[in-house]
Amino acid sequence: MPDKWNNIWQQRADQPLSADAWLRRALPLLPPGRALDVACGRGRNALFMAERGYDVTAVDDSVEALAQVLEVARSRHLNIALRQMDLERTCRLPGSGYDVVMQFFYLQRSLLPALRQAVRPGGVAILRTFSLAGPFPGGPGNPAFALAPGELLQMFAGWQVLLHEEGLEQSHRGGSLAGIVARRPLDDPACA
């Protein structure tokens, strides 16, 4: 699988890097501090957050993607910690206590407990990916890579939902999108 993604990112190397619209919309809701970008790809969201003063760690399995993040970060004089990790094999994330944990267009349900645990109490998780909700045909080829209607809300049950939307916007690949911005409770029992 890494070779497939290395090839994809290599083919997209000249495409512009623009932060996801959901991240731009949610930015006023995010606390300052440390951010983790899970499955960062070419780093469009990690770079956006670093430019806004966040201490960013970016994780991906693709060597090519991480090399592109490093190149752009250096050219913009940004410091981003990069971690190559096969998330499907490890189901863990580098550290915890992040103020913001973000994951865009990558859905690995087995990673959710680690993602939730990586957010510090009072910190925020922000996710956006494909959804089966909404009237738009198409979407990812494998339905396992799309959220069921209401699934994001179930994933973050017990957290304060600051922003949530699903099925209202069409993906550039077809199908709908779902997104959530959720704050981990200060008294989360998982912190003990």
Short mmCIF file of all heavy atoms in Angstrom, two decimals, residues 43-76:
data_model
loop_
_atom_site.label_atom_id
_atom_site.label_comp_id
_atom_site.label_asym_id
_atom_site.label_seq_id
_atom_site.Cartn_x
_atom_site.Cartn_y
_atom_site.Cartn_z
N GLY A 43 0.39 17.31 3.46
CA GLY A 43 0.53 18.25 4.56
C GLY A 43 -0.21 19.56 4.44
O GLY A 43 0.08 20.51 5.16
N ARG A 44 -1.22 19.62 3.59
CA ARG A 44 -1.90 20.90 3.39
C ARG A 44 -2.47 21.46 4.69
O ARG A 44 -2.38 22.66 4.95
CB ARG A 44 -2.99 20.77 2.32
CG ARG A 44 -4.11 19.81 2.70
CD ARG A 44 -5.01 19.49 1.51
NE ARG A 44 -6.08 18.60 1.92
CZ ARG A 44 -7.36 18.90 1.84
NH1 ARG A 44 -7.73 20.07 1.34
NH2 ARG A 44 -8.27 18.03 2.22
N ASN A 45 -3.03 20.59 5.54
CA ASN A 45 -3.61 21.07 6.79
C ASN A 45 -2.54 21.28 7.86
O ASN A 45 -2.63 22.22 8.65
CB ASN A 45 -4.68 20.08 7.28
CG ASN A 45 -5.83 20.01 6.30
OD1 ASN A 45 -6.31 21.03 5.80
ND2 ASN A 45 -6.29 18.81 6.00
N ALA A 46 -1.52 20.44 7.88
CA ALA A 46 -0.42 20.61 8.83
C ALA A 46 0.30 21.94 8.58
O ALA A 46 0.61 22.68 9.52
CB ALA A 46 0.56 19.45 8.72
N LEU A 47 0.55 22.25 7.33
CA LEU A 47 1.21 23.51 6.97
C LEU A 47 0.35 24.71 7.36
O LEU A 47 0.85 25.69 7.92
CB LEU A 47 1.52 23.53 5.47
CG LEU A 47 2.56 22.51 5.01
CD1 LEU A 47 2.45 22.27 3.51
CD2 LEU A 47 3.96 22.96 5.39
N PHE A 48 -0.93 24.62 7.10
CA PHE A 48 -1.87 25.68 7.46
C PHE A 48 -1.82 25.96 8.96
O PHE A 48 -1.76 27.11 9.40
CB PHE A 48 -3.29 25.26 7.02
CG PHE A 48 -4.38 26.20 7.41
CD1 PHE A 48 -4.64 27.34 6.66
CD2 PHE A 48 -5.18 25.95 8.51
CE1 PHE A 48 -5.68 28.20 7.01
CE2 PHE A 48 -6.21 26.80 8.87
CZ PHE A 48 -6.45 27.94 8.11
N MET A 49 -1.83 24.89 9.77
CA MET A 49 -1.81 25.06 11.22
C MET A 49 -0.45 25.59 11.69
O MET A 49 -0.40 26.45 12.58
CB MET A 49 -2.15 23.74 11.90
CG MET A 49 -3.57 23.25 11.61
SD MET A 49 -4.85 24.33 12.28
CE MET A 49 -4.90 23.72 13.97
N ALA A 50 0.63 25.12 11.12
CA ALA A 50 1.96 25.61 11.50
C ALA A 50 2.09 27.09 11.18
O ALA A 50 2.69 27.85 11.96
CB ALA A 50 3.04 24.79 10.80
N GLU A 51 1.52 27.53 10.07
CA GLU A 51 1.57 28.95 9.71
C GLU A 51 0.78 29.80 10.69
O GLU A 51 1.00 31.00 10.78
CB GLU A 51 1.03 29.15 8.29
CG GLU A 51 1.97 28.64 7.22
CD GLU A 51 1.39 28.65 5.83
OE1 GLU A 51 0.15 28.59 5.67
OE2 GLU A 51 2.19 28.70 4.88
N ARG A 52 -0.10 29.19 11.45
CA ARG A 52 -0.90 29.90 12.44
C ARG A 52 -0.36 29.72 13.86
O ARG A 52 -1.05 29.99 14.83
CB ARG A 52 -2.36 29.48 12.33
CG ARG A 52 -3.01 30.25 11.19
CD ARG A 52 -3.99 29.46 10.38
NE ARG A 52 -4.37 30.25 9.21
CZ ARG A 52 -3.65 30.28 8.06
NH1 ARG A 52 -2.56 29.58 7.94
NH2 ARG A 52 -4.04 31.03 7.05
N GLY A 53 0.85 29.24 13.96
CA GLY A 53 1.52 29.18 15.25
C GLY A 53 1.39 27.88 16.01
O GLY A 53 1.89 27.79 17.14
N TYR A 54 0.76 26.89 15.45
CA TYR A 54 0.64 25.60 16.13
C TYR A 54 1.96 24.84 16.06
O TYR A 54 2.69 24.93 15.07
CB TYR A 54 -0.47 24.75 15.50
CG TYR A 54 -1.86 25.21 15.88
CD1 TYR A 54 -2.48 26.24 15.19
CD2 TYR A 54 -2.55 24.62 16.94
CE1 TYR A 54 -3.75 26.68 15.54
CE2 TYR A 54 -3.81 25.04 17.29
CZ TYR A 54 -4.41 26.08 16.59
OH TYR A 54 -5.66 26.52 16.95
N ASP A 55 2.24 24.08 17.09
CA ASP A 55 3.36 23.15 17.13
C ASP A 55 2.82 21.84 16.55
O ASP A 55 2.08 21.13 17.23
CB ASP A 55 3.82 22.97 18.58
CG ASP A 55 4.94 21.98 18.74
OD1 ASP A 55 5.54 21.56 17.72
OD2 ASP A 55 5.22 21.60 19.89
N VAL A 56 3.15 21.55 15.30
CA VAL A 56 2.48 20.50 14.54
C VAL A 56 3.34 19.24 14.42
O VAL A 56 4.52 19.31 14.10
CB VAL A 56 2.09 20.99 13.13
CG1 VAL A 56 1.42 19.88 12.32
CG2 VAL A 56 1.18 22.21 13.22
N THR A 57 2.69 18.10 14.65
CA THR A 57 3.24 16.79 14.32
C THR A 57 2.36 16.22 13.21
O THR A 57 1.13 16.22 13.33
CB THR A 57 3.23 15.85 15.54
OG1 THR A 57 4.04 16.42 16.56
CG2 THR A 57 3.76 14.47 15.18
N ALA A 58 2.98 15.76 12.14
CA ALA A 58 2.25 15.21 11.00
C ALA A 58 2.66 13.75 10.80
O ALA A 58 3.84 13.43 10.79
CB ALA A 58 2.54 16.03 9.74
N VAL A 59 1.66 12.89 10.64
CA VAL A 59 1.87 11.44 10.54
C VAL A 59 1.33 10.93 9.21
O VAL A 59 0.20 11.28 8.82
CB VAL A 59 1.13 10.71 11.69
CG1 VAL A 59 1.26 9.21 11.55
CG2 VAL A 59 1.63 11.19 13.03
N ASP A 60 2.11 10.10 8.53
CA ASP A 60 1.65 9.43 7.33
C ASP A 60 2.56 8.23 7.08
O ASP A 60 3.68 8.18 7.58
CB ASP A 60 1.67 10.37 6.11
CG ASP A 60 0.69 9.94 5.04
OD1 ASP A 60 1.00 8.99 4.29
OD2 ASP A 60 -0.40 10.54 4.96
N ASP A 61 2.07 7.27 6.30
CA ASP A 61 2.86 6.10 5.95
C ASP A 61 3.72 6.35 4.72
O ASP A 61 4.71 5.67 4.50
CB ASP A 61 1.93 4.90 5.72
CG ASP A 61 2.70 3.59 5.58
OD1 ASP A 61 3.82 3.48 6.11
OD2 ASP A 61 2.17 2.66 4.95
N SER A 62 3.35 7.33 3.92
CA SER A 62 4.03 7.57 2.65
C SER A 62 5.29 8.42 2.82
O SER A 62 5.24 9.57 3.25
CB SER A 62 3.08 8.29 1.68
OG SER A 62 3.78 8.76 0.56
N VAL A 63 6.42 7.85 2.43
CA VAL A 63 7.70 8.56 2.46
C VAL A 63 7.64 9.76 1.51
O VAL A 63 8.14 10.84 1.82
CB VAL A 63 8.86 7.61 2.08
CG1 VAL A 63 10.16 8.35 1.96
CG2 VAL A 63 8.96 6.49 3.10
N GLU A 64 7.04 9.56 0.36
CA GLU A 64 6.93 10.63 -0.64
C GLU A 64 6.12 11.80 -0.09
O GLU A 64 6.52 12.96 -0.24
CB GLU A 64 6.27 10.10 -1.93
CG GLU A 64 6.00 11.15 -2.98
CD GLU A 64 7.25 11.81 -3.54
OE1 GLU A 64 8.32 11.17 -3.58
OE2 GLU A 64 7.17 12.99 -3.95
N ALA A 65 4.99 11.52 0.55
CA ALA A 65 4.16 12.59 1.11
C ALA A 65 4.94 13.36 2.16
O ALA A 65 4.94 14.61 2.16
CB ALA A 65 2.89 12.01 1.71
N LEU A 66 5.61 12.66 3.05
CA LEU A 66 6.36 13.33 4.12
C LEU A 66 7.52 14.14 3.57
O LEU A 66 7.83 15.22 4.09
CB LEU A 66 6.83 12.31 5.15
CG LEU A 66 5.71 11.63 5.95
CD1 LEU A 66 6.27 10.54 6.84
CD2 LEU A 66 4.91 12.64 6.75
N ALA A 67 8.16 13.66 2.50
CA ALA A 67 9.24 14.42 1.87
C ALA A 67 8.70 15.73 1.30
O ALA A 67 9.37 16.78 1.40
CB ALA A 67 9.90 13.58 0.77
N GLN A 68 7.51 15.69 0.73
CA GLN A 68 6.91 16.91 0.20
C GLN A 68 6.55 17.88 1.31
O GLN A 68 6.73 19.09 1.19
CB GLN A 68 5.68 16.57 -0.65
CG GLN A 68 6.04 15.90 -1.96
CD GLN A 68 4.83 15.59 -2.82
OE1 GLN A 68 3.87 16.37 -2.85
NE2 GLN A 68 4.86 14.47 -3.52
N VAL A 69 6.02 17.35 2.43
CA VAL A 69 5.71 18.22 3.58
C VAL A 69 6.99 18.91 4.05
O VAL A 69 7.01 20.12 4.27
CB VAL A 69 5.08 17.42 4.75
CG1 VAL A 69 4.86 18.33 5.95
CG2 VAL A 69 3.78 16.75 4.33
N LEU A 70 8.06 18.14 4.20
CA LEU A 70 9.33 18.69 4.66
C LEU A 70 9.84 19.78 3.73
O LEU A 70 10.29 20.84 4.17
CB LEU A 70 10.36 17.57 4.80
CG LEU A 70 11.75 17.98 5.29
CD1 LEU A 70 11.67 18.61 6.67
CD2 LEU A 70 12.67 16.77 5.30
N GLU A 71 9.78 19.52 2.44
CA GLU A 71 10.27 20.50 1.46
C GLU A 71 9.50 21.81 1.55
O GLU A 71 10.09 22.89 1.58
CB GLU A 71 10.16 19.91 0.05
CG GLU A 71 10.66 20.84 -1.04
CD GLU A 71 10.52 20.24 -2.43
OE1 GLU A 71 10.32 19.02 -2.56
OE2 GLU A 71 10.63 21.02 -3.39
N VAL A 72 8.18 21.72 1.60
CA VAL A 72 7.37 22.94 1.67
C VAL A 72 7.56 23.63 3.01
O VAL A 72 7.67 24.87 3.08
CB VAL A 72 5.87 22.62 1.41
CG1 VAL A 72 5.01 23.86 1.61
CG2 VAL A 72 5.68 22.08 0.00
N ALA A 73 7.61 22.87 4.10
CA ALA A 73 7.81 23.46 5.42
C ALA A 73 9.13 24.24 5.46
O ALA A 73 9.18 25.36 5.98
CB ALA A 73 7.78 22.38 6.49
N ARG A 74 10.18 23.65 4.93
CA ARG A 74 11.48 24.35 4.90
C ARG A 74 11.41 25.62 4.07
O ARG A 74 11.95 26.65 4.45
CB ARG A 74 12.56 23.42 4.37
CG ARG A 74 13.01 22.40 5.38
CD ARG A 74 14.11 21.53 4.84
NE ARG A 74 14.59 20.61 5.87
CZ ARG A 74 15.32 19.55 5.62
NH1 ARG A 74 15.68 19.25 4.38
NH2 ARG A 74 15.70 18.77 6.61
N SER A 75 10.75 25.55 2.92
CA SER A 75 10.67 26.73 2.06
C SER A 75 9.86 27.85 2.71
O SER A 75 10.08 29.02 2.42
CB SER A 75 10.06 26.36 0.70
OG SER A 75 8.67 26.14 0.81
N ARG A 76 8.95 27.50 3.62
CA ARG A 76 8.14 28.50 4.33
C ARG A 76 8.69 28.79 5.73
O ARG A 76 8.05 29.49 6.51
CB ARG A 76 6.69 28.00 4.44
CG ARG A 76 6.00 27.86 3.10
CD ARG A 76 4.58 27.39 3.27
NE ARG A 76 3.93 27.12 2.00
CZ ARG A 76 2.69 26.68 1.87
NH1 ARG A 76 1.94 26.46 2.95
NH2 ARG A 76 2.18 26.46 0.69
#
